[in-house]
Amino acid sequence: MRFRQAPGWPAVLTDGPVTLRPYRRSDAMAWSEVRCANREWLAPWESSLGGDWDQLNSPATFRWVYRDQRRSARTGEGMPFAVCLYADGEERLVGHINVGNIVRRAFCSGYVGYWVDRRVAGRGVIPTALALVVDHAFGPGGLHRVEVNIRPENRPSRRVVEKLGFREEAYHPRYMHIDGAWRDHIGYAMTSEEIAAEGGLLARWHRLRARTP
Ligand SMILES: CC(C)(COP(=O)(O)OP(=O)(O)OC[C@H]1O[C@@H](n2cnc3c(N)ncnc32)[C@H](O)[C@@H]1OP(=O)(O)O)[C@@H](O)C(=O)NCCC(=O)NCCS
């Protein structure tokens, strides 16, 4: 399917201090700093690319990452967002969230992947980002279903989707090549009908947060 402009792209999504926006060429230094500072934190959960971490995450490599993301967004295969936090009028790039492998026609489905800087982990940044992205995907993005696949050992990530009420629906043995080996994953999913009556996933997330002390 070819679009003059892919559904739901480009977009800027905001909730409180969390903003999701398309990457800019000028993000190279900030992206590289956060990726290099988080090697031990991120490597166990990322695709096996081989090669030196610092090189794979250098400002020069960002040029390729940026081009690839622009291409996937333009063709409607992905919605790659930089996750930013705002404080005292300053923007800080702290993570990434992408709806990838988007298939339209009778599927209208995509897979979400994400990570956040360890220095801001535990503050609900990614659940907020995921809720924003899902509402956007089900609205202007024209999708009906999103999946998140997570290694069983990744408790923090499983907490994110479980808190938001994703359905655990599958166990995929040796599903993806992550951190040097084929790793099992648990498949979580959500379809638009499941949150329509609640006014969307962000509304659900706000209600859940209001209830938690
Ligand atoms: C998974 C991840 C994205 C969660 O993002 P987040 O914005 O920290 O999400 P939350 O604030 O909701 O925290 C999720 C859970 O992390 C754990 N957690 C909290 N603070 C933490 C900290 N400082 N360090 C590690 N884990 C922490 C808690 O179990 C929390 O669940 P809780 O709400 O029941 O307490 C983040 O941990 C991360 O980037 N991990 C490395 C990359 C990764 O795993 N990506 C996902 C691959 S599927």
Side-chain angles (χ1 to χ4, degrees):
M1 204 176 278
R2 286 184 84 78
F3 303 104
R4 205 175 313 156
Q5 193 166 7
W9 195 263
V12 175
L13 314 174
T14 301
D15 183 57
V18 178
T19 291
L20 314 185
R21 59 155 177 82
Y23 284 89
R24 304 175 186 134
R25 212 171 268 128
S26 58
D27 287 327
M29 292 302 289
W31 177 85
S32 177
E33 189 282 326
V34 70
R35 297 274 313 165
C36 290
N38 280 278
R39 179 191 175 145
E40 288 77 21
W41 173 247
L42 299 177
W45 318 114
E46 298 217 348
S47 328
S48 316
L49 292 174
D52 175 71
W53 182 270
D54 286 351
Q55 218 172 336
L56 288 168
N57 293 287
S58 69
T61 305
F62 180 77
R63 270 189 241 135
W64 296 98
V65 173
Y66 176 73
R67 254 182 252 158
D68 188 51
Q69 286 177 343
R70 293 241 315 178
R71 185 205 48 75
S72 85
R74 208 175 37 240
T75 57
E77 290 159 52
M79 296 184 204
F81 289 100
V83 178
C84 301
L85 271 182
Y86 275 87
D88 306 322
E90 295 266 319
E91 180 199 272
R92 177 172 161 202
L93 194 157
V94 296
H96 169 78
I97 190 159
N98 180 41
V99 187
N101 289 323
I102 294 177
V103 179
R104 296 194 183 266
R105 296 184 188 272
F107 276 106
C108 290
S109 170
Y111 292 63
V112 184
Y114 45 70
W115 56 263
V116 77
D117 187 339
R118 182 175 206 160
R119 294 166 289 195
V120 299
R123 299 190 203 167
V125 173
I126 291 299
T128 303
L130 183 55
L132 282 165
V133 152
V134 167
D135 284 349
H136 184 71
F138 288 166
L143 300 189
H144 169 249
R145 172 184 158 92
V146 290
E147 287 184 29
V148 185
N149 292 289
I150 303 177
R151 289 181 61 184
E153 304 89 335
N154 194 343
R155 288 302 320 167
S157 188
R158 290 176 62 191
R159 279 289 302 149
V160 168
V161 292
E162 285 165 7
K163 280 190 285 195
L164 288 173
F166 276 68
R167 218 168 348 94
E168 181 179 329
E169 63 171 25
Y171 192 87
H172 307 292
R174 301 171 298 286
Y175 183 66
M176 275 178 80
H177 212 276
I178 300 285
D179 194 29
W182 292 106
R183 311 284 186 181
D184 296 358
H185 280 68
I186 299 174
Y188 294 86
M190 182 175 283
T191 59
S192 55
E193 297 86 351
E194 293 174 62
I195 45 165
E198 292 181 54
L201 194 54
L202 189 65
R204 176 190 282 179
W205 174 232
H206 283 172
R207 276 194 292 275
L208 287 167
R209 277 195 123 173
R211 260 188 258 144
T212 328

